[in-house]
């Protein structure tokens, strides 16, 4: 079978429908990343947008803002990694070679 025979049977519309279904499902996902042993939590959605930042209110916030900012960044990075893993676990077999987009 030649590559041209494969292309004859290729249905771009079904591929687009499957991609649209995956996108719709991923957009509903929510995960929470943590840093500092749960001191800071960042919740993101499937579009990797921040939905919420939660933190324990204590003296570190006013005394060491640099560390607090670092914890927020770390929690965001943790949330992004969790989202990538969730997408990979749910759609890994469907993504095939496209999984490299997620950094896997």
């Amino acid at each position: 079978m030649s590559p041209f025979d494969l292309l004859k049977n290729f249905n771009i519309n079904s591929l687009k429908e499957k991609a649209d279904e995956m996108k719709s499902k991923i957009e509903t996902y929510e995960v929470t990343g943590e840093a500092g042993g749960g001191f800071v939590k960042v919740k993101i959605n499937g579009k990797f947008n921040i939905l919420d930042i939660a933190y324990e209110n204590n003296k570190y916030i006013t005394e060491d803002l640099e560390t607090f900012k670092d914890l927020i960044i770390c929690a965001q990075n943790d949330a992004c990694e969790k989202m990538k893993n969730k997408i990979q676990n749910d759609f890994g077999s469907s993504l095939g070679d496209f999984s490299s987009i997620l950094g896997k």
Side-chain angles (χ1 to χ4, degrees), residues 32-96:
T32 301
E34 297 183 5
F39 175 71
V40 174
K41 297 178 181 180
V42 173
K43 182 192 285 187
I44 64 170
N45 64 15
K47 292 182 177 182
F48 292 83
N49 295 328
I50 295 174
L51 301 175
D52 187 41
I53 298 175
Y55 55 89
E56 292 179 22
N57 195 4
N58 63 38
K59 65 182 180 177
Y60 294 111
I61 295 168
T62 56
E63 290 180 5
D64 191 357
L65 288 177
E66 282 303 309
T67 300
F68 183 54
K69 286 179 1 183
D70 288 343
L71 289 172
I72 293 171
I73 292 167
C74 288
Q76 166 68 10
N77 291 341
D78 183 50
C80 288
E81 191 62 32
K82 287 179 178 178
M83 184 60 72
K84 288 179 196 176
N85 288 336
K86 181 170 181 54
I87 293 168
Q88 180 68 33
N89 289 337
D90 289 357
F91 297 105
S93 61
S94 299
L95 292 173

